[in-house]
Amino acid sequence: MPAQRDRAEDTGSGRPEDVGAALGRQAGASAPGSLPGAYDSPPAEGSAAGLDDSARMDASAPLRRPGRRTAASSRRLPPLLRSPAPRRGRSPRSYAVARDVLTLAALPLLAALVLPAAFAGGGTRRWFGGRSEGQRAEAQAAKDAAAAAFYELDTAQRDLRISIETITAVDDSPAARRVVSDFEALGRRIDEASQKYITAVDAHDLDRDELEASVAARARTELTAAKDELGRVKTELDRFEQGLGPLLGKAETQLARLAPAVERARQSLLAASNALDAVRQAGLRADDLAARLATLGPELTRLNQGAGQHGVPETLERAERVSREAGAVRAEAERLPERAAEIDHRLVSLRTRAQSLTTRAGQVEPVLSELRRRFSAACWQDLQHVPDAAEENVRQAEAKLKEARAARDAQRWPDATALLATVRALLNNTDEAVSAAGDRLRRLNAVQKDPQAEIDRTRFAIRDAQRLAMAGRSTPDPRQARPLDESVARLDRAVATLEGRHPDYWHFLTETEAVRQTVAGVVSQIREERGGV
């Protein structure tokens, strides 16, 4: 009996190895493929299975000792999977084996029901969170919305900073400086709102396993407040950006001009350098042009350094100046061969003219002799220095011509051009002086022969001006009548000087000329006042 009790206890233990042993022990008594004890044939008479009910209860008494629970009876299974109470006529061992087999078969079904719910929760949280999980989800949504608002504000601030840098790079006016100060104040507001958001994020760990509903609710409230503050600051930032329109447009216009202006300056310098190379290949030196081009080298260096270092307005002005000066150097270099030919032609022409004036200056003395013989001293006194002045001017002109030739041979083009201009001025003065002597003799001969012609010419000019002054008026304007009356009296005095044995014809001619100039001035004034009549 002790051995049977021990075997019964081993069979009812519920362990997997005990079930296997029990199945092995009953393999010989059961049919293949059938469960032992459940569908056996009726037991033989006199066996333990054939006892009456009381005997069967007594036989199973060792399996239910008072105060002791077997492992199979203590297993927690769902109600549907628990083994039913043993039926009459069947052994306890058979029921225990059947219960264990059914338990093993139901385990996969239980795992299939429970495991998806476990993995759906992330693997680290409780399977059933209740109200705290809903609060966690709302807090997480508030956190995501605040993060989106934060990144939107940060992006807008970055873009606006680029616009402010564009304005400050171009404009240094009080309005631009005020914009910078306002942006700095707005930046402090942005920092405050961003710090509030960061503090709210750092204060709550929404991924913590044991997150209380109150903590999640507080996190949602703080994150929502941070998001609203970021939105308000974003609205202020947008309003500030809209006010930058005029300044930003002006700055962008200048910046749009910057790159083309710098490129034009570079191309102008390159073209000037190429033109100088072409001139040198033609055998001409252009040292002065090369020196002027060399002075633009530092300006090109500053242009390459960019507007960030020197400022946009200064860079634009520098680029335009470089383009202008380099263009002038290029034009002169391209014109240099023609300029050299022109200088050669002028050297020959001025030398010929100097020789001609030398010949004409020699004719001034006979003219002066005739003036002295036929007219009073007042008519020729101012022409006494003409021969000497003409000779001196011609001598200086010839000396300057030699210097100009030397400068041309040395290809000092500016010096040669300046010397030729001096020669031309000297020869012009000599030509005027020589011509004045002959013109004086001609005019004195004409007035001596017929002074009335000069008088009539002057009186006609006076009468024509008087008629114009009286046109459409009953009385003349004193501003116009006075100079005309004075001109009439002056002409009468000039005519009176012709009386006598040796009249001063030159004085008469100068007076009549002065009268005609005065009358012409009055006529011009009348026409201007009357609108060009």
Side-chain angles (χ1 to χ4, degrees), residues 145-160:
F150 174 78
Y151 289 123
E152 182 180 2
L153 178 61
D154 182 69
T155 302
Q157 184 184 17
R158 291 173 185 268
D159 296 340
L160 187 57

Side-chain angles (χ1 to χ4, degrees), residues 262-330:
V262 172
E263 184 61 25
R264 283 195 301 270
R266 292 172 180 165
Q267 294 300 324
S268 298
L269 287 172
L270 180 60
S273 178
N274 293 336
L276 283 177
D277 293 340
V279 166
R280 293 190 180 101
Q281 291 177 0
L284 298 174
R285 292 199 305 269
D287 297 338
D288 58 325
L289 296 180
R292 288 168 56 185
L293 189 61
T295 59
L296 299 178
E299 299 296 327
L300 178 60
T301 301
R302 296 185 182 93
L303 288 177
N304 292 333
Q305 289 173 351
Q309 182 173 350
H310 300 284
V312 174
E314 293 78 5
T315 303
L316 277 174
E317 190 275 334
R318 181 176 291 109
E320 293 175 356
R321 185 175 67 254
V322 169
S323 298
R324 184 171 56 253
E325 295 180 2
V329 170
R330 175 189 176 184

Side-chain angles (χ1 to χ4, degrees), residues 361-388 437 440-441 444-445 448 502-503 505:
Q363 299 174 359
V364 173
E365 191 60 38
V367 172
L368 289 177
S369 178
E370 185 175 355
L371 289 173
R372 296 189 192 100
R373 186 179 68 253
R374 295 175 53 193
F375 300 100
S376 61
C379 296
W380 47 265
Q381 191 68 39
D382 57 327
L383 299 176
Q384 290 293 327
H385 68 286
V386 171
D388 296 337
R440 178 77 57 86
L441 179 60
L444 289 175
N445 286 334
Q448 183 183 31
H502 298 288
Y505 291 107

Side-chain angles (χ1 to χ4, degrees), residues 288 339 343 411-419:
D288 58 325
R339 185 180 182 186
I343 289 176
Q411 297 190 14
R412 292 183 285 109
W413 310 112
D415 294 342
T417 303
L419 289 170

